[in-house]
Amino acid sequence: ATATPATVVAYLPVAMRFVCKPSDVHADVASVIDASSSMRDVSGGMAKIDAAKAAARAFIDVLDLGDDRAAVVAFNASASVPARLSADRGALGAAIDGIGTASGTRIDLALAAAESVLGEGAPRPGTNRVVVLLTDGRTDAGTDADALRAADVLKRAGVYIYTIGLGDDIDAGFLRTVASSPATYLQAPTAAQLADIYTHQIAGTLPCPGGVFWGGEGP
């Protein structure tokens, strides 16, 4: 007689991780720019605000607008939204160019404005929501606790936060806490380094923030 084959059940360890194909995933991004008076200071041969605007425009240029969308938020003693979510590259560039400076650094209000912008309309399937916040200073009228509460609202809503500290007068520990992870806090000692941070270190990870790329390469 032929022996009946035995059935063996093997349990293999499986790591359940988010995997994404960058070609299938896009982003709604709020570019949040510090427009405090200290941004008029010169760093690396140019005013920090001018470097920030140039870097933000370069960032917009590398987005796949249409599938991606961007908004522009500026902040000092208050927060404004020069451009809501849009795929209009020209309008976004004009909004960035029109940012003016004033006193104050209300990071809490900036994050609340970003949350309002990204929360407009129904969520788009296959789209990550991302905040990229640039600052050269510290909170003033609003407290760090206010800013952290605003960041937590974004994180609980599934929004991924990058923070960029420009120059030396920053609280790196605080900005790391605002960011979604320590790895998404980036520091630019001089204004000249901003464009590279926006276009390479951030734009390259936008399709799969915090996840694992198809094929095993993560951001």
Side-chain angles (χ1 to χ4, degrees):
T2 302
T4 301
T7 300
V8 177
V9 179
Y11 295 94
L12 302 177
V14 177
M16 300 301 293
R17 302 179 70 190
F18 170 70
V19 177
C20 101
K21 295 181 180 180
S23 61
D24 295 339
V25 182
H26 298 282
D28 283 344
V29 186
S31 181
V32 182
I33 300 170
D34 188 338
S36 60
S37 54
S38 62
M39 288 289 285
R40 296 195 296 264
D41 295 345
V42 174
S43 170
M46 66 188 307
K48 289 185 282 187
I49 188 63
D50 292 336
K53 290 179 179 182
R57 287 194 302 271
F59 180 55
I60 297 298
D61 285 343
V62 301
L63 295 178
D64 183 14
L65 292 180
D67 290 313
D68 296 332
R69 298 185 300 177
V72 179
V73 175
F75 69 99
N76 34 60
S78 60
S80 62
V81 183
R84 309 199 88 79
L85 282 173
S86 171
D88 186 331
R89 203 178 305 274
L92 290 165
I96 292 167
D97 289 342
I99 293 174
T101 58
S103 61
T105 309
R106 290 293 301 270
I107 293 174
D108 58 326
L109 298 182
L111 292 171
E115 189 272 333
S116 175
V117 166
L118 292 176
E120 292 176 345
R124 296 192 301 152
T127 301
N128 289 310
R129 292 179 299 160
V130 180
V131 168
V132 180
L133 182 144
L134 164 71
T135 183
D136 76 332
R138 303 164 183 263
T139 54
D140 53 9
T143 67
D144 286 357
D146 294 329
L148 291 174
R149 278 191 290 271
D152 285 342
V153 169
L154 286 161
K155 293 170 187 176
R156 288 197 301 270
V159 177
Y160 208 73
I161 305 175
Y162 292 83
T163 57
I164 304 171
L166 173 58
D168 298 324
D169 188 25
I170 55 172
D171 185 342
F174 165 70
L175 291 176
R176 284 192 188 93
T177 306
V178 170
S180 287
S181 71
T184 58
Y185 164 66
L186 302 165
Q187 186 164 356
T190 68
Q193 296 168 298
L194 280 178
D196 180 72
I197 286 175
Y198 273 96
T199 59
H200 293 95
Q201 298 185 55
I202 295 177
T205 69
L206 280 183
C208 307
V212 179
F213 283 87
W214 191 264
E217 295 184 1

